[in-house]
Amino acid sequence: MKNDRPTTTSHDTAAPDAADDRHTTDQVNADPTHTEAACSATPAPNGTRAARSIRRSLTLRAAAQEFLRHPSPWMIATVFIATLAARCAIGDWQLTDALVPLVILAAFPVIEWIIHVTVLHWRPRHLGPLTLDSELARKHREHHVDPRDIPLIFIPPKSLLLTILALVAIALLAFPRTGLGLSFLLTITTLGLLYEWTHYLIHTDYKPKHAPYRAIWRNHRHHHYKNEHYWFTVTTSGTADRLLGTAPDPATTPTSPTARNLHAG
């Protein structure tokens, strides 16, 4: 029986993809698929050759089945369902309950960009005997080492739990009405699920079939396989990156030697 479960990495010895032989780092240009092929032949940070990933087609249904095997979608969905039930029970709908989601949606690409740059790409710092380095930053560096390792794609459960607690506190304490705070939390959890699904799907072997998703797919793959200093948005393309100057022409952007080993340079 054919197994459609998305493959993360294979530790078996496999013949290199033909693309690995045809494309060197200097030949990588605007095609993120070619970039990925070139990077797959790059030594891992520990000096050994990275495990070869198996490439094969993947259906959307199989991708969704794998997505639901991981804890973060369930954690976010649980908060969403509980918040939705509480919001419906409270009622008290006002115009501001529609304005809050609109403001968050407008700001989300910039928020996503800021989190990616300042939290996920945090460079470890030393304060005396202490090392300032969050779990999110550590796991993100591991994610760059092997972008096809599926568990590393998702928000770590411990960090996600702390984030959820902080967001619940904001929802309950920072708004003039409980209902408005719950509207805020509903919007955030919806965007959280969208982020987890989009980020996960980009790193699977599911191939884009429509232009909007293909643009997002290409944008994030450039970040991983072309140059980690650009293309920081995940769920959008041509938004915050363009606004903040991190959306260069891939064809003229040099391929970074540290895309898989953040802060090595």
Side-chain angles (χ1 to χ4, degrees):
M1 180 180 295
K2 183 179 178 181
N3 182 9
D4 284 335
R5 180 170 180 170
T7 304
T8 54
T9 56
S10 171
H11 295 280
D12 298 330
T13 302
D17 295 337
D20 290 345
D21 295 329
R22 291 197 304 268
H23 300 282
T24 65
T25 301
D26 290 338
Q27 292 170 317
V28 171
N29 48 37
D31 189 337
T33 304
H34 294 170
T35 314
E36 179 180 0
C39 286
S40 66
T42 304
N46 62 6
T48 62
R49 187 180 179 86
R52 174 79 50 191
S53 297
I54 297 175
R55 293 176 174 83
R56 61 181 178 179
S57 61
L58 178 72
T59 65
L60 196 59
R61 179 178 179 181
Q65 290 172 341
E66 175 66 20
F67 180 73
L68 294 175
R69 291 186 176 103
H70 298 270
S72 64
W74 291 102
M75 292 172 69
I76 300 170
T78 298
V79 178
F80 172 82
I81 292 170
T83 305
L84 179 61
R87 185 67 192 86
C88 292
I90 289 175
D92 188 27
W93 298 96
Q94 298 183 25
L95 179 60
T96 48
D97 290 293
L99 292 178
V100 165
L102 291 176
V103 171
I104 294 173
L105 284 172
F108 186 70
V110 174
I111 294 170
E112 188 178 62
W113 189 98
I114 292 172
I115 292 173
H116 198 160
V117 172
T118 63
V119 177
L120 302 184
H121 280 235
W122 169 268
R123 184 186 291 269
R125 290 167 172 79
H126 300 283
L127 186 63
L130 299 177
T131 299
L132 304 179
D133 193 22
S134 70
E135 180 190 40
L136 286 171
R138 294 194 304 271
K139 291 296 183 181
H140 194 71
R141 290 197 295 273
E142 293 177 25
H143 174 50
H144 269 265
V145 170
D146 187 0
R148 294 174 60 81
D149 187 340
I150 298 296
L152 290 174
I153 295 170
F154 295 91
I155 302 172
K158 183 169 67 175
S159 295
L160 179 57
L161 178 60
L162 293 175
T163 302
I164 288 172
L165 292 175
L167 290 171
V168 170
I170 291 171
L172 296 178
L173 301 175
F175 290 86
R177 293 186 294 113
T178 301
L180 187 60
L182 293 175
S183 295
F184 159 82
L185 194 56
L186 272 178
T187 305
I188 294 296
T189 51
T190 300
L191 291 174
L193 283 172
L194 175 65
Y195 175 91
E196 284 291 84
W197 169 249
T198 303
H199 187 219
Y200 156 74
L201 196 63
I202 289 170
H203 286 286
T204 69
D205 291 321
Y206 178 76
K207 301 305 179 185
K209 293 180 173 60
H210 304 287
Y213 173 62
R214 184 170 184 82
I216 295 170
W217 177 87
R218 183 184 294 111
N219 189 75
H220 192 60
R221 290 205 167 208
H222 283 324
H223 174 75
H224 275 281
Y225 299 109
K226 182 69 174 176
N227 195 310
E228 77 278 18
H229 302 296
Y230 304 105
W231 306 292
F232 288 105
T233 58
V234 176
T235 58
T236 62
S237 64
T239 54
D241 279 312
R242 184 168 297 175
L243 176 67
L244 298 169
T246 52
D249 180 358
T252 59
T253 301
T255 299
S256 170
T258 57
R260 291 183 56 204
N261 190 8
L262 298 184
H263 316 312

